Amino acid sequence: MPFPSLKKRLGLKLSLNDHNWGNDKDNRKAQEGKKPGEGPPDLDQLWRDFNQRLNGLFGGGKNRGGNSGGGGGGGRGDMKGAGITFGAVAAVALLVWLASGAFIVQEGQTGVVTTFGKLSHTTPAGFNWRWPYPFQANETVNVSQVRTVEVGYRGSAKSKMASEALMLTEDENIIDIQFAVQYKLKDPVAWLYANRDAEDTVRQVAETAIREVVGRSKMDFVLYEGREKVATDTQLLMQSILDRYNSGAQVTNVTMQGVQPPEQVQTAFDDAVKAGQDRERQKNEGQAYANDIVPKARGAAFRLIQEAEAYRAMTVQNATGNADRFKSVLTEYQKAPGVTRDRMYIDTMQQIFASTSKVMVDSKAGSNLLYLPLDKLIAQVAATEARAANVSAPPPSAVLLPPEPTTDPNRRDGRSRDSSRDREGR
């Protein structure tokens, strides 16, 4: 029902600036002395007209004609019309109140409904309805959103929070750590009602966990090779604490943004780091030299030991063999001394002549051929055979042949004659 058109149909013209508004006696007198249609209208008459028109709109037009002749009937009709009007307004208000209980939950969110402040149930994504206020209330929680908590800074690394970033390591050094924690909600009910300020709880838990992990680690470990392990241990410890608090949060990642010593000692720390690096470099160089020398020395010592062992075994075996041979010769010598003596003489001469120049001298015959250099002849024959082999198969490079043995008969004859005279003189 359009209310502006109702105002036009009623023809109400009220002015708040009228000084006589509300003065009933003056208004009555003025109305008695004035013609109809002049001056402000009567409020009772306006109310009756308003009720009549509402009754006409809602089907109460019959009472308006029937009650026009008497004043009592008009009063009852006004009360009945007022009741109908109130019922229509109450019905509209009831519909609006019931419609206020409808709500929509977006995808990735969960609705939590409470009855008189107490948890009632949760609703999935989509269109849902609950009892309107003050019976029930609802709140939507985004469970798919990845939330972030920053510890040691806010917004950027330049906006440091010294009270959160400065920590003490196991070796009693102060370190400046800035990191971010990413988490999601796995239980919206616990997130809303288990803790008073859930986000602040996550931040405090993150700070507590990182301080405990850093307090069990050395400074160099946290600064260099142990960053990933510190982040992993912090995530596990945070999740354990949050589960004990029943916070409803699931930690997904811990990212180290900056790990460094405090700014006040940065220069001295850099010098200490350089000195440590030099020490490690020299230590590594010494270790490399030792790794190169020690195996060689051990190998040489082992080789000398093996050679000594081999020489000892060879000497012992030779001595044992000589002793056995002597024993066998002694046995044979005792059986036939003459034969054994001749055999020993022949073996000894064979060993001696095997390494000396051999010359055959015929001193009894009076011929001119006094000696025969057998070793030289053998060497000459061997050189001739080698030269013939080289000619048949030419070598890739030149081969130096040994010098041919000298066969000067005069020089040989003279030396032979001298030797024979010496033997005759003896």
Side-chain angles (χ1 to χ4, degrees):
M1 178 180 63
F3 288 97
S5 61
L6 178 61
K7 181 179 179 182
K8 292 180 180 180
R9 294 180 62 183
L10 292 176
L12 299 179
K13 296 181 181 179
L14 302 179
S15 176
L16 297 178
N17 296 326
D18 189 359
H19 299 286
N20 295 325
W21 180 261
N23 194 347
D24 296 339
K25 294 181 179 181
D26 296 339
N27 291 336
R28 253 188 239 105
K29 292 179 180 180
Q31 290 177 2
E32 290 176 356
K34 292 183 180 180
K35 297 179 180 179
E38 296 181 359
D42 188 7
L43 292 178
D44 294 336
Q45 184 64 33
L46 290 177
W47 177 251
R48 285 192 296 269
D49 294 341
F50 175 71
N51 287 332
Q52 290 176 1
R53 293 180 182 274
L54 284 179
N55 292 332
L57 292 175
F58 291 100
K62 297 180 180 180
N63 295 330
R64 183 176 56 182
N67 296 332
S68 61
R76 288 193 297 270
D78 293 340
M79 293 300 295
K80 186 176 181 180
I84 295 175
T85 302
F86 179 77
V89 173
V92 173
L94 179 62
L95 292 176
V96 173
W97 179 71
L98 293 175
S100 64
F103 62 98
I104 297 177
V105 179
Q106 301 294 334
E107 187 67 28
Q109 297 180 351
T110 300
V112 180
V113 179
T114 57
T115 303
F116 295 111
K118 185 179 180 180
L119 177 65
S120 175
H121 62 278
T122 59
T123 60
F127 181 82
N128 298 275
W129 184 85
R130 58 166 176 81
W131 284 104
Y133 179 85
F135 298 101
Q136 288 185 338
N138 72 286
E139 186 173 356
T140 58
V141 181
N142 193 338
V143 295
S144 62
Q145 177 186 3
V146 178
R147 305 164 188 255
T148 303
V149 171
E150 299 169 345
V151 180
Y153 71 102
R154 295 294 185 273
S156 63
K158 296 181 180 179
S159 301
K160 293 184 178 180
M161 304 292 292
S163 60
E164 298 178 356
L166 296 179
M167 304 177 188
L168 191 66
T169 60
E170 184 182 8
D171 50 358
E172 298 181 356
N173 288 318
I174 298 177
I175 194 170
D176 188 351
I177 296 181
Q178 300 173 0
F179 67 100
V181 178
Q182 294 180 346
Y183 65 97
K184 297 173 66 175
L185 303 184
K186 61 180 181 179
D187 189 354
V189 176
W191 175 259
L192 290 176
Y193 304 111
N195 298 277
R196 178 171 298 178
D197 191 347
E199 292 185 358
D200 188 62
T201 301
V202 174
R203 179 178 286 105
Q204 293 181 7
V205 169
E207 184 177 353
T208 302
I210 192 69
R211 288 185 184 277
E212 181 175 349
V213 173
V214 171
R216 298 197 304 257
S217 305
K218 301 289 185 180
M219 184 176 184
D220 294 338
F221 179 78
V222 178
L223 286 175
Y224 302 111
E225 70 272 12
R227 287 193 179 187
E228 296 297 331
K229 189 176 187 306
V230 169
T232 303
D233 294 345
T234 301
Q235 180 178 349
L236 296 176
L237 184 57
M238 278 188 62
Q239 190 62 54
S240 176
I241 297 174
L242 290 174
D243 291 341
R244 289 202 302 268
Y245 286 172
N246 193 23
S247 63
Q250 177 69 40
V251 181
T252 59
N253 190 22
V254 176
T255 305
M256 291 292 178
Q257 301 294 337
V259 181
Q260 60 185 2
E263 296 179 356
Q264 295 81 355
V265 295
Q266 184 68 40
T267 304
F269 184 80
D270 293 339
D271 295 339
V273 170
K274 291 180 181 178
Q277 292 176 353
D278 294 338
R279 180 188 63 185
E280 293 296 329
R281 178 178 56 81
Q282 294 178 0
K283 182 179 178 180
N284 293 333
E285 290 178 355
Q287 189 66 34
Y289 180 74
N291 293 335
D292 181 45
I293 294 299
V294 172
K296 291 182 179 180
R298 290 177 179 175
F302 183 75
R303 179 175 56 81
L304 292 175
I305 292 173
Q306 294 297 324
E307 290 178 355
E309 292 290 340
Y311 178 74
R312 183 186 66 177
M314 181 185 67
T315 304
V316 170
Q317 294 297 329
N318 289 336
T320 303
N322 293 331
D324 294 339
R325 184 175 58 83
F326 180 77
K327 290 179 180 180
S328 61
V329 171
L330 178 61
T331 303
E332 297 298 331
Y333 179 77
Q334 291 175 354
K335 294 179 181 180
V339 175
T340 304
R341 188 183 303 110
D342 294 340
R343 182 62 182 173
M344 292 176 63
Y345 175 78
I346 294 172
D347 292 340
T348 303
M349 295 304 296
Q350 183 177 1
Q351 293 178 359
I352 294 173
F353 288 143
S355 58
T356 58
S357 299
K358 293 175 282 298
V359 178
M360 181 178 290
V361 178
D362 187 8
S363 58
K364 295 180 179 180
S367 62
N368 294 328
L369 183 60
L370 299 177
Y371 71 94
L372 183 61
L374 299 178
D375 54 345
K376 300 296 181 180
L377 293 176
I378 294 173
Q380 185 176 2
V381 172
T384 303
E385 292 178 354
R387 189 182 301 109
N390 292 333
V391 171
S392 60
S397 59
V399 177
L400 297 178
L401 298 176
E404 297 181 359
T406 303
T407 56
D408 189 358
N410 296 325
R411 184 170 61 82
R412 295 293 184 182
D413 292 343
R415 188 175 62 181
S416 300
R417 292 192 185 95
D418 294 338
S419 301
S420 62
R421 282 197 296 267
D422 291 338
R423 291 190 183 90
E424 290 176 355
R426 292 173 187 170

